[in-house]
């Protein structure tokens, strides 16, 4: 069992910055992909960014160049640095952990409770 706890959300003006953190506890497989997703009111949850255990990153086009995902495995923590925030970035942000078995198949998929990010214009 893995628990994910997000922090760092809040209210910020357009153009500002926030850094989200996701602290993971429990058994994290060596092969994993950690990620951030977001869901705005009335919209589906969407990918923001992911990072593999090897450090390979992937970003949604709408945040590329503004957001940076990183991880500190010694602290079991994943970060999302969000710069140049826009009102359309307003959403509930969720941390995700996908754990892979030795065959490369997703064995477990965990979600955090989420943290609200609100960007005012």
């Amino acid at each position: 069992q893995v628990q994910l706890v997000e922090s760092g959300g809040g209210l910020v003006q357009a153009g500002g910055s926030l850094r989200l953190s996701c602290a993971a506890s429990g058994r994290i497989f060596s092969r994993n992909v950690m990620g951030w997703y977001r869901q705005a009111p009335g919209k589906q949850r969407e990918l923001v960014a992911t990072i593999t255990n090897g450090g390979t990153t992937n970003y949604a086009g709408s945040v590329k160049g503004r957001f940076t995902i990183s991880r500190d495995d010694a602290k079991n923590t994943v970060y999302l640095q969000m710069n140049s925030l826009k009102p359309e970035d307003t959403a509930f942000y969720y941390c995700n952990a996908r754990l892979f078995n030795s065959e490369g198949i997703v064995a477990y998929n965990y979600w955090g409770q989420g943290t609200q990010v609100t960007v005012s214009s």
Side-chain angles (χ1 to χ4, degrees):
Q1 186 73 13
V2 170
Q3 290 80 42
L4 304 173
V5 179
E6 300 98 334
S7 61
L11 173 64
V12 65
Q13 287 189 331
S17 299
L18 282 175
R19 189 175 84 152
L20 304 182
S21 299
C22 172
S25 60
R27 183 169 174 239
I28 304 290
F29 292 5
S30 58
R31 299 176 71 177
N32 62 79
V33 177
M34 304 295 293
W36 288 94
Y37 292 73
R38 66 187 182 187
Q39 187 167 17
K43 295 187 177 182
Q44 288 189 329
R45 190 172 297 189
E46 63 176 6
L47 167 76
V48 176
T50 61
I51 184 167
T52 70
N53 53 280
T56 300
T57 57
N58 179 51
Y59 295 92
S62 59
V63 307
K64 197 171 292 186
R66 299 187 298 123
F67 291 11
T68 302
I69 189 170
S70 62
R71 59 191 290 164
D72 184 340
D73 289 339
K75 297 180 179 179
N76 274 351
T77 302
V78 179
Y79 304 97
L80 185 68
Q81 178 67 44
M82 304 185 294
N83 299 327
S84 302
L85 282 160
K86 304 175 181 180
E88 51 264 43
D89 294 318
T90 295
F92 220 73
Y93 283 69
Y94 296 91
C95 182
N96 172 258
R98 277 183 289 152
L99 309 184
F100 295 81
N101 62 20
S102 57
E103 286 81 35
I105 298 172
V106 176
Y108 299 96
N109 189 39
Y110 296 102
W111 292 94
Q113 293 295 312
T115 184
Q116 177 69 43
V117 171
T118 303
V119 184
S120 63
S121 56

